[in-house]
Amino acid sequence: VWHTPSTNNDYYVTADGGTGTIDRLEYRPDIAVPFDYEVRFTETCASGDCWGVYTLLGGLRSDGIAVQVPFELWQVREQDDGSFSDVQRLIPLLDAVGEAPASPWPYAVIQGDWDGTGGDGNPNALVSDAVYWMIPDRPDGYALLAADAAAAGGGNLITDTDEQEDIDPTSGGPCRNQGFYIDFCHRNDEVEGLTTSSRSFMPPLGRFQLADEVGDGTPPPTGTVIRLVTQKPLEVSEEDDVRSLPTALTLTVYPNPARASATVRLDLPEASPVRVALYDLLGREVRQVARETRAAGRHSLGLDTAGLATGVYVVAVEAGTARATRKLLVVR
């Protein structure tokens, strides 16, 4: 949905400032990878129990105003079966664009081609305040902020009230400023996979905005999940050899249910001609995904489900004499 309307033409994703391109989300790729990221519009948030914080001084330097937001931000990790597991909940750091900070989060606040690109979205759509994805400075960092924000109430100033001394990860000594949520001088050693330099309280992603494509002034409906997938580097182990190849044809399809698209993952035990197609329950082919020779190993293929009616379909793969199928639910 980057600069492209969602399947229900409700919204699209954009970013403000700078080039206005998707590069604005690549704030710290060294921190973002190897994780992926989700925006979840949940029942809890719809009831007013999800929180973020506005900056007061601009940039990422100070505590600020508590604000109710209609979404959760999560750092997730893809599993071998194509599912995603939660790593940690991130803190939304909000940057007001064109008006004073307000609570609840202003979804549609400024009109026009704010990011300077327009893209395939509506250049006249109202867009939301910008959101940075902040890594908490401790394992329960979001919960601490949410508790203080709920106690203070939306629109009020909050400060970090825990008694933990904030340590500078560079010098090893105390941070110059204590008692701030929004400060680079923090560290979280508890998350597996984060390098030392990425444990600071920093944004792996930044300047995320939603544009109100339909113009109704309301955020995406409860149950909407927007996933941002990072480009992972190729990892080769010294122990990798022919024994690490799959021993049989396997097929995984995700996400399931799918809306606009899905990923078809194949594990091939040997090089072979491959044909992948999508069928309805009457056995009629509705999409041809691939028809080509593939090498042994793992392959990921894109499956376009936009335009398909809601219902159950079957993904089928033929690789040489082997065959595998998986059911896929398409929803709107």
Side-chain angles (χ1 to χ4, degrees), residues 2-5 12 117-123 213:
W2 178 260
H3 280 191
T4 302
Y12 65 92
T117 62
D120 295 324
N122 177 4
E213 175 75 11

Side-chain angles (χ1 to χ4, degrees), residues 135-222:
I135 296 175
D137 64 333
R138 63 213 72 167
D140 56 351
Y142 171 80
L144 291 170
L145 179 141
D148 289 344
N156 293 310
L157 180 69
I158 57 173
T159 55
D160 187 349
T161 57
D162 72 31
E163 297 181 356
Q164 172 179 303
E165 182 179 52
D166 299 323
I167 303 299
D168 187 328
T170 301
S171 69
C175 290
R176 181 179 59 183
N177 297 317
Q178 298 290 325
F180 287 85
Y181 283 113
I182 311 306
D183 194 316
F184 285 167
C185 193
H186 292 279
R187 183 170 178 162
N188 179 2
D189 290 322
E190 302 299 321
V191 176
E192 181 183 356
L194 289 182
T195 62
T196 300
S197 64
S198 68
R199 291 171 184 151
S200 300
F201 191 31
M202 302 250 323
L205 303 176
R207 310 302 284 184
F208 170 90
Q209 285 180 297
L210 290 181
D212 186 9
E213 175 75 11
V214 75
D216 62 1
T218 60
T222 298

Side-chain angles (χ1 to χ4, degrees), residues 96-117:
V97 291
E99 89 300 325
S103 184
W105 178 62
Y107 173 61
V109 293
I110 187 168
Q111 188 170 16
D113 188 5
W114 178 257
D115 61 16
T117 62

Side-chain angles (χ1 to χ4, degrees), residues 45 48-53 65-73 89-94 103 142 145-156 158:
C45 298
D49 291 332
C50 296
W51 295 91
V53 60
I65 302 298
V67 57
Q68 293 165 300
V69 294
F71 55 80
E72 303 174 7
L73 299 184
R89 187 166 176 178
L90 306 187
I91 294 176
L93 174 62
L94 308 173
S103 184
Y142 171 80
L145 179 141
D148 289 344
N156 293 310
I158 57 173

